Amino acid sequence: MNLTVVGTGYVGLVTGACFSEMGHNVYCVDVDESKIERLKEGIIPIYEPGLERIVQNNFQEGRLRFTTSLADAMGDSDIYFIAVGTPAGEDGSADLSYVIEVAREIGRHLDKYAVVVDKSTVPVGTGERVHEVILEELQNRGVDHSFDVVSNPEFLKEGAAVDDFMRPDRIIIGSESERATEVMRTLYADFSRNHDKIMVMGVRDAEMTKYTANAMLATKISFMNEISTLCDRLGVDVENVRLGIGSDSRIGYSFIYPGCGYGGSCFPKDVNALIHMAEQRQLFPLVLQSVHQRNLFQKMMLGEKIATRFGKDLSGLTFALWGLAFKPGTDDMRDAPSIVVLHQLIGAGARVLAYDPVAAETARRELPKAWFDEEKLVLTEHQYDALKGVDAMVLVTEWKPFRHPDFDAMKRLMKAPVVFDGRNQYDPERMESMGFDYYAMGRGKQVQPASSSCSL
């Protein structure tokens, strides 16, 4: 089939590349000329395991093409995926301006029946709005081409997006048209061979399903983080609690690992968007508001532990930070807990040596330039370089190389063997037996204050 995917971010590029991998002809469209030129050269703008090979191979085979012109891409296409950003507005609502602009351009050039697919995460009712905009443009042109708008939400985990797309748990098609539904079934047939993974529902149902899925996962994380804080106060090891409740099949082990908060492009934005949708309809989403507030608080917890241990003024102290990306397997730092920790440390006068396997360039783009100019933040090339002469190490992102480090080398390199583990990667008894002063999230050990002040 001939497809056009508008947007070459995480969702758009993965969608286009994976469909081309299955033999479809795909145009990927983006208004960023430099990004399109880099893609033509095989340079991937994001870090996503397995994606570079698929993009390069299918571009060379001619199945995957890149352009800045949607009009040029529309000539042969039968399906148009809208996969542009929907950033959060100041009030938490999803900004649909990019989605609407793409819909308008589709309407300006549509010349035959097509299925327009909302792949972006969009509020309930967006499919109807997209339909109205396209129809309005067709009427302005005085033409009467039929089309259908479908919701096909993505469920891709950053760091595992290619595998998630190629081996989906479910494929949700929100459609009010039998014709459009059959087109989508044909398109996804190769992804559903083992057993039928396709679920057909209304457009609004599909839009709501995406938000609800992310909000549910965020709720599990925030709930467990709240329990971990209580465990600290009660002298309880949250790891044992996690194992105890995870064995209940109704709960399961996924998304109940306590830590220093969630980030990324989905959970924070989608929880806020759901809150906004509820409040617009005079509802009070107490659970969702609590999930959001708990996450904001959780991101402060590492800094609070550090302040309790070292005092409010961190001038003259140097900290190692392991992990900048919001999660392993990606270079994405949107809403990452590391940003909060860095602001706390540097704001209190500390110097930070930071290491991340892939997110260094993102950090240089996204973090304050003054931090680098004044060497308040130094990005190291190697994991152990960040430990040289530091007063403590702070683990924020649970990359695999951090799981089993050389603890003897750590003690030799660090000025003091103090570790703040924001992801509970290490066994407390082992750490303390090796001479580390070890603090984790909810492991039942209270931080001994260095002064009466415990806030950064």
Side-chain angles (χ1 to χ4, degrees), residues 120-138:
S120 303
T121 300
V122 293
V124 175
T126 301
E128 296 161 17
R129 177 65 180 139
V130 167
H131 191 280
E132 291 171 0
V133 168
I134 296 174
L135 185 59
E136 180 182 303
E137 292 298 327
L138 292 175

Side-chain angles (χ1 to χ4, degrees), residues 149-388:
V149 176
V150 167
S151 176
N152 175 220
E154 52 86 15
F155 298 98
L156 307 177
K157 299 184 296 291
E158 290 186 35
V162 171
D163 191 60
D164 286 344
F165 196 99
M166 301 299 282
R167 301 173 182 83
D169 293 325
R170 76 286 206 193
I171 300 164
I172 290 181
I173 299 171
S175 173
E176 316 294 343
S177 160
E178 290 186 11
R179 183 179 182 183
T181 299
E182 287 309 307
V183 170
M184 296 298 289
R185 281 189 178 278
T186 301
L187 178 63
Y188 276 108
D190 290 325
F191 300 90
S192 191
R193 282 185 177 275
N194 188 36
H195 63 275
D196 190 5
K197 301 176 182 178
I198 295 174
M199 302 174 65
V200 180
M201 57 185 70
V203 173
R204 282 178 164 250
D205 302 338
E207 292 168 340
M208 189 62 177
T209 298
K210 168 61 178 178
Y211 277 106
T212 304
N214 281 352
M216 185 68 233
L217 296 174
T219 298
K220 291 183 71 175
I221 294 171
S222 283
F223 173 81
M224 204 62 195
N225 281 337
E226 187 153 300
I227 293 298
S228 76
T229 303
L230 184 58
C231 286
D232 267 340
R233 302 290 174 89
L234 295 175
V236 173
D237 189 338
V238 73
E239 179 65 9
N240 290 327
V241 176
R242 183 188 70 82
L243 293 171
I245 68 170
S247 61
D248 188 327
S249 61
R250 297 169 300 176
I251 297 173
Y253 291 106
S254 298
F255 288 84
I256 60 169
Y257 290 91
C260 51
Y262 59 76
S265 62
C266 294
F267 288 4
K269 178 173 68 72
D270 292 353
V271 169
N272 281 331
L274 264 181
I275 291 171
H276 179 77
M277 280 187 263
E279 290 176 343
Q280 274 192 320
R281 290 154 182 82
Q282 288 74 53
L283 296 175
F284 301 97
L286 300 181
V287 172
L288 293 174
Q289 288 171 338
S290 296
V291 168
H292 172 65
Q293 291 298 324
R294 176 72 246 177
N295 192 56
L296 294 179
F297 180 78
Q298 197 69 21
K299 291 180 181 181
M300 304 290 292
M301 288 297 296
L302 272 176
E304 293 291 336
K305 287 176 180 286
I306 293 167
T308 302
R309 173 66 172 75
F310 289 101
K312 183 177 181 180
D313 186 0
L314 301 180
S315 299
L317 299 178
T318 301
F319 292 84
L321 188 80
W322 277 4
L324 292 164
F326 86 93
K327 62 177 282 188
T330 179
D331 60 352
D332 194 347
M333 287 183 61
R334 284 175 285 185
D335 281 307
S338 64
I339 297 174
V340 175
V341 175
L342 285 169
H343 274 284
Q344 289 175 301
L345 294 175
I346 294 173
R351 182 170 179 260
V352 180
L353 306 180
Y355 171 77
D356 189 284
V358 301
E361 289 304 316
T362 304
R364 289 189 178 94
R365 289 196 309 268
E366 301 298 329
L367 297 176
K369 187 175 182 294
W371 288 358
F372 300 103
D373 292 343
E374 300 170 18
E375 294 192 339
K376 295 178 179 178
L377 174 61
V378 177
L379 303 181
T380 66
E381 292 187 8
H382 302 288
Q383 164 180 347
Y384 293 95
D385 289 346
L387 300 175
K388 295 177 180 177

